[in-house]
Amino acid sequence: MKILVCISDVPDTTTKIKFAGNKELDKAGIQWIINPWDELSLTRAIELKEAHPDKIENITVINVGTTASEPTIRKALAMGADNAIRVDSEPKEAYFVAAQLAEVIKSKQFDIVFTGLDSADYNGSTVGGMLAELLDMTSVSAVSGINIEDGKVIVSREIDGGTQKLDVQTPFIAVVQKGIAIDPRIPAMRGIMMARTKPLEVVAPANIDNLTEIVEYEMPQPKGKCRKFTEENVNELVDVLHKEAKLI
Amino acid sequence: MNFEFTEEQKMIQQAAKDFAERELLHDVIERDAKSEFPADRIKKLAELGFLGMMTDPKYDGGGMDTVSYVLAMEELSKIDSSVAVVMSVCNSLVNWGLETYGTEEQKEKYLKPLARGEKIGAFLLSEPEAGSDATKQRTTAEDKGDYYLVNGTKNWITNANCASTYLVIAQTNPEKGHKGINALIVDKNTPGITLGPHEDKMGMRSSDTHSVMFNDVKVPKANRIGEDGFGFNFAMKTLDGGRIGIASQALGIASGAFERALHYAKERKAFGTEIFNHQAIAFKLADMAVKIENARNLCLKAAWLKDTKQPYGIVSAMAKQYCADIAMEVTTEAVQIHGGYGYVKEYHVERLMREAKLTQIYEGTSEIQKIVISRSLLK
Amino acid sequence: MTVLVYTENREGKFKKATFELLSYAEELAKNINAEVVALSIGDVSPDELNKLGNYGAKKVVTVKNDKLALLDNKLYTAAIAEVVKKENAKIVILADNLSGRALAPRLSAKLKAGLVSGVVAVPNSYDPFVIKKKVFTGKAFANVKINSDIKVLTLSQNSFGIKEASGNAPQIEAYNVELAGESNAKLVSVDMITGKLLLTDAEIVVSGGRGMKGPENWTMIEELAELLGAATACSRPVSDEGWRPHGEHVGQTGKIIAPTLYIACGISGAIQHVGGISSSKVIVAINKDPDAPIFEVADYGVVGDFQKILPQFTQLIKDVKNS
């Protein structure tokens, strides 16, 4: 089996977001990381390969991005991916990214494709589903677990009100959420050393029209001041919640 | 001149940071209180390759440079110096010593498992009556033909219990003075070796520190490092590199305390504003920042000299002395900035202050470093 | 021309989120002279379907097909796309929840229709079509323009509210869709959470952080939650420590929720946690540290020891409820 993990690089989740003139993200001082969901997907893919070396022959990571995203890609290789593909373009919007990925994946065979449920930047949670439709593949969303049992791929997904276990035929796209792996893998020295020698293929982007574009950013309105109470006047808070806010 | 880190160096720094924050932070206060050695975490650190990160890949190491090592040591020490010191002893004393001066057979047998992190090493130099003055070794290694018979006591030995491989410095020919000293590779499970109790220390309480007693311990001749009488020279050369490790540790203790103090100063309010807005606090933080920047530059300079095969003994002594001294100063100020909170365990800075103290003492006190530095000025 | 709403039901009952979607769709439809059509997949009683009229649906298209017994994203998308075409829908609205997030992207790609997910307001303008959504996990908003003729939106929960409309019974039309192919997934087992209010459905959420000291103190949280008819949640360190199940983790990498009232006990308010709760209408924080960042996003705060505050708070609410 061959696994593909789609990765994007996003500002570190603790980053304070600023914009340059409301039109674009102010990239100064931002530390870029692998999108947390993508990192967990990759971690799970590596765990599966370690547990089933006979079944999983290769893990590829793919990214749509400029050379600026190469440190992120190299980190994925250091973690344990075998090779990488970078589609050489700014990731303009979700459909654009999905269509670029589809172009590359079409010509290669992957059995399981992982994408993150969400991205910590544009919070689209959209690339995986779009990619599946463009490739006419099965997609399973909100995947919180994946295992290989008796040669079958068993996927757990969250549904409204619970979880389901599914036996899914490959090839398919898993849109992954929290729970797939506990912590992202920390790259080992050996992995870091080998990352530079692993193949990183750069492909030219296809010509794709954007379906959406960001016109302008806004910052949220600052919240009004917090009204503070103490251990001694909790009763006043309850009063306010009951009479003014009418919440209880 | 280029101050840029490479992609690999940044990755190692991040890996160490992630490891420390994820694996060490949550129970570091508790382990310190109980003097508990985190064997499980050391195993994970070993699996990631940190314990043999600088050893040549030819001997199963990570092949990383000293700059990367400094960055990793700083990150680990920001959170837990008791763990960082294991890495320091393994990399810069034991592994480096074996790699640089050991025979191929010794490297095959002892260095490889150490570099892979399967085994841990310890460096046995200090004695009850030979601390800073390492020429006065009381531990003897009597030449018995095809083996040495080792007798004596070593003190303050980091990794004494968790290590499998000891590098022991002992006197073979007392009449030759320090030129009679040998360095021997000793399996810890050799009959005749016993450990004293775990030391109840002021700081770095969860590091594995014991005294080690040798009573008629037989060590094969093949386990001697270098020529007969090379031991003292071996110890001094090894300690040159060791200083870079402890300097980076002190740096990490300082920068860890600084980060906490800065964060606290930006959140804590007094007299209607964040205390950072009071000049008394802001200037303290400015002074701390300058010291840390200097300290880091000294560590990196020493590492760079070592990586580019230039003499680094003097700069590493400067780094060790300066970093240890500013670690003490910076952690003390960090406690001060925290006020009463700084004096309780929950806020980490009091622990960092206790840890800082040790960096001024072990692997050559600050005073010894000044001897090394001042002697070099005479030349 | 229509605005199509994808409705969801649980065991034949529509979820409140569905009524919000319809209310929102009605507002959009007015502005483009369109009618609201609801799509319902599966078994729902006529009475229940009629309810959709109360929130603006003029017509309900019901689809039943054995192939849709299991949520298969591909087959569901095919079914929705067919109804979009049949109804000449120009805007398709889904909830920004598990199934909405699973289906909307596929639908977008299938119809080459621009998708904006997690929208938080009615469009700023209709021509060009520009609409606001949250980005960087609530740290900012982006106004996004959709270039395509058909638009797909997923609506962030509780961002518009439920508004009752005129309330004529909608026209109900059963519609057969032809679905090619079979699902590639077989159901192995299901594990439903029963007897417990779901975090994402809850109007009120009571949540605890590391400041709660240990799992043994959660009885206080649970008691308060039960009294308020609230769901329980926690911050990331708490689920990482194993004090509470991962399903309760609220924050940037856990669940993102938007209840009417969020009560945070012993949560310092790390930026990642705030990302998951910032859309709550009212936030009450209980924390011993007066400078904890949670107070910057909270509307009401109590500074002090939760062990003293929570029992009082619970008792006082009991008194209010009994009076």
Side-chain angles (χ1 to χ4, degrees):
Chain A
M1 253 194 281
K2 288 182 176 170
I3 296 180
L4 179 73
V5 182
C6 305
I7 58 172
S8 56
D9 58 340
V10 298
D12 185 349
T13 48
T14 55
T15 302
K16 287 215 166 104
I17 297 297
K18 283 180 296 193
F19 298 102
N22 292 341
K23 295 285 178 200
E24 57 187 315
L25 184 66
D26 179 357
K27 291 182 179 169
I30 287 184
Q31 191 186 355
W32 297 86
I33 59 166
I34 305 182
N35 183 36
W37 291 267
D38 303 346
E39 198 177 18
L40 289 174
S41 304
L42 175 58
T43 299
R44 186 61 192 148
I46 296 164
E47 287 169 359
L48 285 174
K49 190 179 170 209
E50 284 167 354
H52 305 278
D54 51 324
K55 297 220 168 57
I56 294 163
E57 46 177 310
N58 187 275
I59 300 170
T60 304
V61 292
I62 188 167
N63 165 268
V64 178
T66 62
T67 48
S69 65
E70 288 202 359
T72 301
I73 296 173
R74 209 106 52 197
K75 179 173 179 200
L77 293 171
M79 284 169 72
D82 297 293
N83 62 311
I85 303 167
R86 180 170 68 80
V87 181
D88 189 19
S89 168
E90 281 285 347
K92 293 178 191 157
E93 51 115 33
Y95 180 78
F96 175 88
V97 170
Q100 297 295 351
L101 294 174
E103 283 300 315
V104 177
I105 297 169
K106 245 188 256 172
S107 61
K108 305 185 192 253
Q109 286 294 316
F110 293 101
D111 301 282
I112 306 174
V113 177
F114 285 107
T115 68
L117 175 69
D118 204 346
S119 68
D121 47 5
Y122 298 103
N123 302 120
S125 50
T126 46
V127 169
M130 288 179 175
L131 180 60
E133 193 63 36
L134 292 170
L135 295 168
D136 196 29
M137 273 167 83
T138 295
S139 62
V140 186
S141 194
V143 170
S144 58
I146 184 163
N147 266 305
I148 298 177
E149 294 168 18
D150 305 325
K152 292 180 200 160
V153 182
I154 304 294
V155 175
S156 307
R157 72 163 169 192
E158 190 181 347
I159 53 162
D160 182 28
T163 40
Q164 285 179 335
K165 265 192 182 178
L166 303 172
D167 169 358
V168 189
Q169 268 173 48
T170 57
F172 70 93
I173 292 183
V175 185
V176 166
Q177 68 165 16
K178 200 192 172 190
I180 188 85
I182 300 188
D183 275 319
R185 174 155 305 208
I186 296 174
M189 292 302 137
R190 191 157 291 270
I192 293 172
M193 192 170 60
M194 281 160 53
R196 204 172 271 283
T197 60
K198 288 179 177 175
L200 195 172
E201 183 190 345
V202 179
V203 300
N207 207 356
I208 309 283
D209 287 333
N210 292 344
L211 291 182
T212 64
E213 58 198 86
I214 290 176
V215 185
E216 192 181 32
Y217 289 105
E218 301 176 17
M219 296 308 278
Q221 294 297 321
K223 265 228 158 175
K225 219 171 154 50
C226 175
R227 229 166 113 182
K228 283 190 188 163
F229 301 84
T230 65
E231 286 166 14
E232 281 70 45
N233 62 356
V234 178
N235 59 321
E236 288 172 31
L237 169 63
V238 173
D239 232 40
V240 170
L241 290 178
H242 179 56
K243 290 184 182 142
E244 282 177 36
K246 297 194 192 310
L247 290 165
I248 52 175
Chain B
M1 203 182 224
N2 185 0
F3 284 95
E4 232 5 82
F5 295 128
T6 66
E7 221 171 77
E8 279 86 359
Q9 287 163 346
K10 284 189 234 171
M11 233 189 271
I12 289 167
Q13 184 180 36
Q14 187 64 40
K17 182 174 156 63
D18 288 345
F19 180 85
E21 288 176 354
R22 200 184 298 161
E23 301 283 347
L24 303 175
L25 180 60
H26 63 95
D27 66 343
V28 60
I29 293 171
E30 203 182 316
R31 277 186 284 108
D32 175 72
K34 293 186 190 159
S35 276
E36 192 179 286
F37 178 72
D40 54 333
R41 260 59 68 78
I42 298 296
K43 188 163 177 283
K44 285 187 184 173
L45 194 66
E47 282 164 2
L48 288 172
F50 279 101
L51 300 190
M53 68 177 282
M54 284 199 292
T55 307
D56 194 315
K58 191 160 73 172
Y59 303 113
D60 296 347
M64 297 300 173
D65 58 8
T66 316
V67 169
S68 305
Y69 170 68
V70 167
L71 297 175
M73 276 299 294
E74 180 184 353
E75 290 304 327
L76 292 182
S77 307
K78 279 180 186 175
I79 290 174
D80 192 343
S81 279
S82 295
V83 168
V85 73
V86 178
M87 176 171 146
S88 172
V89 169
C90 287
N91 272 289
S92 43
L93 299 182
V94 180
N95 294 5
W96 186 84
L98 282 171
E99 187 178 351
T100 313
Y101 298 108
T103 63
E104 284 306 313
E105 292 71 30
Q106 290 170 343
K107 290 180 195 177
E108 188 65 34
K109 185 171 174 193
Y110 292 103
L111 178 58
K112 281 189 171 180
L114 286 164
R116 289 194 295 267
E118 294 160 8
K119 290 189 172 169
I120 292 174
F123 192 78
L124 290 76
L125 173 65
S126 293
E127 297 193 352
E129 289 168 61
S132 294
D133 185 1
T135 59
K136 298 286 178 294
Q137 292 288 311
R138 293 262 180 107
T139 300
T140 54
E142 209 181 324
D143 191 339
K144 293 284 188 184
D146 54 351
Y147 65 89
Y148 288 103
L149 195 65
V150 180
N151 280 289
T153 299
K154 292 289 181 184
N155 256 23
W156 325 119
I157 303 307
T158 307
N159 298 348
N161 190 35
C162 66
S164 319
T165 306
Y166 284 175
L167 297 191
V168 181
I169 310 298
Q171 181 60 269
T172 300
N173 291 304
E175 66 281 5
K176 289 192 185 166
H178 70 271
K179 288 186 176 147
I181 293 173
N182 276 314
L184 306 175
I185 308 166
V186 183
D187 279 316
K188 184 196 155 207
N189 57 11
T190 314
I193 296 178
T194 49
L195 298 190
H198 180 97
E199 299 288 354
D200 191 9
K201 304 188 293 293
M202 175 198 232
M204 298 199 203
R205 293 174 50 77
S206 47
S207 90
D208 175 29
T209 319
H210 298 257
S211 52
V212 180
M213 277 76 74
F214 294 83
N215 186 13
D216 285 345
V217 176
K218 287 185 184 175
V219 180
K221 272 272 172 74
N223 282 15
R224 189 185 69 213
I225 299 174
E227 294 299 306
D228 185 29
F230 177 65
F232 183 76
N233 207 353
F234 171 81
M236 293 304 111
K237 290 279 185 210
T238 307
L239 286 174
D240 279 349
R243 287 182 204 132
I244 300 177
I246 303 306
S248 339
Q249 176 174 58
L251 165 66
I253 292 170
S255 57
F258 172 75
E259 283 171 15
R260 287 178 188 280
L262 179 63
H263 179 79
Y264 187 81
K266 285 179 177 170
E267 303 243 314
R268 171 81 185 182
K269 293 189 180 115
F271 304 104
T273 180
E274 287 78 10
I275 61 172
F276 187 88
N277 296 325
H278 300 301
Q279 201 181 59
I281 301 296
F283 278 15
K284 268 190 206 305
L285 286 159
D287 287 341
M288 290 155 85
V290 173
K291 286 174 183 169
I292 289 165
E293 185 70 20
N294 272 334
R296 190 177 290 118
N297 286 338
L298 263 176
C299 284
L300 291 170
K301 172 87 183 283
W304 173 77
L305 286 170
K306 182 162 176 267
D307 287 337
T308 52
K309 314 265 181 261
Q310 301 180 65
Y312 59 91
I314 306 305
V315 178
S316 72
M318 289 176 175
K320 163 76 170 65
Q321 181 251 310
Y322 184 75
C323 293
D325 290 351
I326 69 108
M328 203 62 242
E329 293 162 19
V330 167
T331 53
T332 308
E333 289 290 46
V335 170
Q336 189 67 22
I337 289 169
H338 278 75
Y341 290 104
Y343 203 64
V344 295
K345 306 228 176 233
E346 200 183 334
Y347 285 78
H348 294 278
V349 284
E350 66 82 31
R351 179 177 53 80
L352 291 167
M353 182 175 158
R354 287 186 280 113
E355 288 177 348
K357 190 65 217 169
L358 185 52
T359 64
Q360 290 182 304
I361 298 171
Y362 72 171
E363 291 198 27
T365 61
S366 290
E367 292 73 16
I368 287 288
Q369 305 309 329
K370 286 182 189 172
I371 293 177
V372 174
I373 299 161
S374 58
R375 277 185 189 159
S376 79
L377 301 176
L378 263 178
K379 284 178 191 164
Chain C
M1 197 161 66
T2 63
V3 175
L4 183 72
V5 171
Y6 172 74
T7 69
E8 277 177 83
N9 68 81
R10 191 186 296 153
E11 283 153 9
K13 298 278 177 216
F14 287 116
K15 302 176 66 174
K16 275 177 72 183
T18 287
F19 302 140
E20 186 183 19
L21 291 186
L22 286 166
S23 309
Y24 178 79
E26 168 76 357
E27 178 70 27
L28 267 60
K30 270 194 294 197
N31 280 285
I32 57 166
N33 284 322
E35 286 197 340
V36 176
V37 176
L39 164 61
S40 167
I41 295 179
D43 267 325
V44 181
S45 69
D47 274 359
E48 189 70 13
L49 291 173
N50 278 334
K51 280 188 192 166
L52 300 178
N54 297 341
Y55 304 95
K58 294 284 177 299
K59 177 176 174 184
V60 181
V61 177
T62 63
V63 171
K64 281 187 210 171
N65 188 313
D66 290 344
K67 288 185 179 177
L68 300 175
L70 181 73
L71 174 63
D72 180 291
N73 298 340
K74 190 169 151 184
L75 296 175
Y76 264 65
T77 301
I80 300 169
E82 215 182 299
V83 177
V84 170
K85 283 179 194 148
K86 170 180 125 55
E87 295 295 327
N88 188 25
K90 291 297 172 205
I91 302 177
V92 188
I93 302 172
L94 301 89
D96 188 37
N97 61 9
L98 286 168
S99 46
R101 285 169 160 220
L103 300 173
R106 288 203 77 127
L107 194 61
S108 162
K110 192 172 189 76
L111 302 170
K112 296 279 172 291
L115 161 67
V116 181
S117 59
V119 300
V120 293
V122 295
N124 306 359
S125 63
Y126 289 86
D127 190 18
F129 192 91
V130 178
I131 194 157
K132 183 149 113 173
K133 69 163 296 191
K134 275 197 283 188
V135 289
F136 300 104
T137 326
K139 288 180 217 165
F141 296 107
N143 292 302
V144 186
K145 181 169 142 235
I146 303 183
N147 297 329
S148 55
D149 178 35
I150 302 176
K151 284 101 182 155
V152 182
L153 308 174
T154 66
L155 177 68
S156 216
Q157 206 176 330
N158 288 349
S159 56
F160 186 75
I162 294 172
K163 296 190 172 66
E164 291 207 21
S166 54
N168 292 332
Q171 174 204 343
I172 294 173
E173 178 191 332
Y175 180 67
N176 261 330
V177 289
E178 292 298 324
L179 296 170
E182 295 287 331
S183 174
N184 277 341
K186 273 191 308 227
L187 188 62
V188 179
S189 62
V190 192
D191 183 12
M192 296 303 279
I193 301 163
T194 50
K196 223 184 136 189
L197 183 61
L198 291 177
L199 191 46
T200 43
D201 285 354
E203 288 289 318
I204 303 180
V205 173
V206 185
S207 184
R210 214 205 307 249
M212 290 295 294
K213 303 278 188 208
E216 65 279 4
N217 290 323
W218 248 263
T219 44
M220 283 186 248
I221 300 254
E222 276 163 349
E223 199 189 337
L224 178 59
E226 203 188 316
L227 180 64
L228 293 170
T232 54
C234 68
S235 65
R236 175 169 178 171
V238 167
S239 64
D240 283 357
E241 289 279 345
W243 295 357
R244 300 298 291 178
H246 279 291
E248 286 199 1
H249 163 200
V250 165
Q252 194 157 5
T253 53
K255 288 201 167 63
I256 297 184
I257 55 170
T260 319
L261 174 60
Y262 183 75
I263 303 175
C265 311
I267 293 178
S268 65
I271 196 160
Q272 293 95 330
H273 184 75
V274 171
I277 60 157
S278 57
S279 300
S280 308
K281 244 194 201 107
V282 172
I283 296 173
V284 174
I286 299 173
N287 205 299
K288 68 166 184 185
D289 180 1
D291 302 320
I294 189 80
F295 290 122
E296 273 156 39
V297 293
D299 301 273
Y300 306 102
V302 191
V303 181
D305 181 1
F306 75 89
Q307 311 236 29
K308 293 197 185 120
I309 295 161
L310 269 180
Q312 266 196 71
F313 190 58
T314 305
Q315 186 56 47
L316 286 161
I317 294 171
K318 241 181 234 170
D319 297 345
V320 167
K321 296 232 169 198
N322 289 336
S323 65

